[in-house]
Amino acid sequence: MKIICAGLQKTGTKSLAEALRILGYNVHDVFEQFYYEKELWNKVLRNTAVIADYQRILEDVDAVMDFPAVAVWEKIMEAFPEAKIILTIRSNEDDWYTSIKNHIEVINQYIPQSELLQQLLHVILGPTRQEFIRYESGFIPACIGMTRMCGTPKEPILRSRYRQHNCYVKSACEKTKLLIYNVKDGWEPLCHFLNKKIPDRPFPKRNIKGGMVHEVAQQKWEHDCGYAKAVNREALIRIGFLISVLVSILSVILYFFTI
């Protein structure tokens, strides 16, 4: 582990992830963590993870960001004390709140507002989606103070968590190993901090105005590790099964009405 990206969601994490990939790092963002580090996150949720687990499971990963990792970033720092820490921030708190509010509203376009319909949808979408929601429900509260990245944005809670998180990261890290970074500043401060040559290409801009949500839903997000295809496949299997059950039930009903 070389880099721990300790910034909260909607602080430019997807742009930073792409920038680090361009610089040659093996980056594990949300979906890579979901698929490749399940053993660790399950242990965290069961409260059985020890430092040796972090060291073993994350040993070959260069950089982590977003959830689950950002919820336990200080544990990862304890496991890898030589790692550098990047705290991504927005220009001001209002910018961050507006961005995360917009992101949540985009997610809401894909989720029913009724709790009952949400539960029904989760059953239909299958085990991959259910497992992802379990991780989201386990780690997102530690990040932004909301149960999940959907529903009604809780402005006072979100703003408070942003301030508390940033203050804590700044106070908990050695200054020589910490970069407080706004992706608007581009390559120079990032490459200087990492002792890397500045690439001859523009700094990447990803997930603008919640665009990642649409790309994942449309199977166009290149770093989802096959998540959307797996969810769609499992949903089709379940829908097909439900249809066959309904057809069978209707056939039996019609039979008894015609005899």
Side-chain angles (χ1 to χ4, degrees):
M1 180 65 59
K2 299 174 182 177
I3 304 165
I4 302 168
C5 302
L8 289 179
Q9 291 83 358
K10 300 309 297 176
T11 57
T13 56
K14 296 298 169 283
S15 297
L16 177 59
E18 193 62 26
L20 293 176
R21 292 185 184 106
I22 292 170
L23 293 174
Y25 292 101
N26 173 27
V27 178
H28 278 206
D29 201 345
V30 174
F31 292 106
E32 289 91 352
Q33 293 174 58
F34 174 68
Y35 276 101
Y36 303 128
E37 280 92 56
K38 288 182 179 181
E39 179 189 353
L40 176 59
W41 312 127
N42 287 334
K43 284 189 172 186
V44 171
L45 292 177
R46 292 195 302 267
N47 203 32
T48 60
V50 297
I51 293 302
D53 293 319
Y54 289 91
Q55 293 171 332
R56 174 175 56 83
I57 296 169
L58 297 175
E59 179 181 18
D60 296 325
V61 180
D62 291 335
V64 289
M65 61 182 56
D66 213 316
F67 84 94
V70 74
V72 291
W73 71 271
E74 62 268 64
K75 281 295 184 183
I76 301 174
M77 182 176 67
E78 185 179 349
F80 301 95
E82 300 304 315
K84 294 185 174 183
I85 313 298
I86 300 177
L87 174 63
T88 42
I89 60 171
R90 298 297 291 254
S91 299
N92 55 65
E93 182 183 310
D94 289 339
D95 283 357
W96 179 78
Y97 174 70
T98 298
S99 182
I100 197 165
K101 176 175 175 289
N102 290 340
H103 189 85
I104 291 171
E105 288 173 351
V106 172
I107 292 175
N108 286 343
Q109 296 175 23
Y110 294 91
I111 299 176
Q113 295 305 299
S114 164
E115 186 69 29
L116 179 61
L117 290 177
Q118 285 186 32
Q119 295 302 320
L120 178 60
L121 180 63
H122 298 162
V123 171
I124 292 174
L125 290 180
T128 298
R129 177 61 180 166
Q130 291 167 14
E131 187 174 26
F132 188 86
I133 291 171
R134 183 170 66 86
Y135 285 178
E136 185 184 29
S137 300
F139 291 100
I140 286 297
C143 299
I144 61 172
M146 290 183 59
T147 306
R148 291 179 56 208
M149 288 281 285
C150 62
T152 303
K154 308 297 191 297
E155 182 173 356
I157 294 174
L158 287 166
R159 287 181 178 274
S160 178
R161 283 297 301 133
Y162 180 72
R163 292 192 296 267
Q164 291 173 16
H165 178 84
N166 291 347
C167 286
Y168 177 61
V169 174
K170 292 173 186 178
S171 67
C173 294
E174 294 180 25
K175 304 305 179 186
T176 56
K177 295 195 300 182
L178 173 65
L179 173 65
I180 301 170
Y181 180 60
N182 188 326
V183 294
K184 288 183 178 180
D185 294 333
W187 288 116
E188 186 172 354
L190 178 64
C191 292
H192 177 75
F193 180 66
L194 299 174
N195 297 314
K196 291 282 188 176
K197 182 180 178 181
I198 296 177
D200 186 21
R201 58 192 294 182
F203 191 88
K205 295 181 180 180
R206 305 301 299 269
N207 195 25
I208 305 301
K209 295 183 178 180
M212 171 193 170
V213 179
H214 297 303
E215 291 186 45
V216 171
Q218 297 165 13
Q219 301 183 36
K220 294 180 179 179
W221 184 252
E222 58 186 308
H223 302 297
D224 83 339
C225 301
Y227 169 81
K229 287 184 178 179
V231 171
N232 288 346
R233 181 175 62 251
E234 291 169 5
L236 287 174
I237 291 171
R238 291 195 168 208
I239 290 170
F241 174 76
L242 288 173
I243 290 173
S244 65
V245 169
L246 288 173
V247 169
S248 299
I249 292 172
L250 287 173
S251 298
V252 171
I253 293 172
L254 288 172
Y255 171 78
F256 279 104
F257 271 102
T258 54
I259 58 175

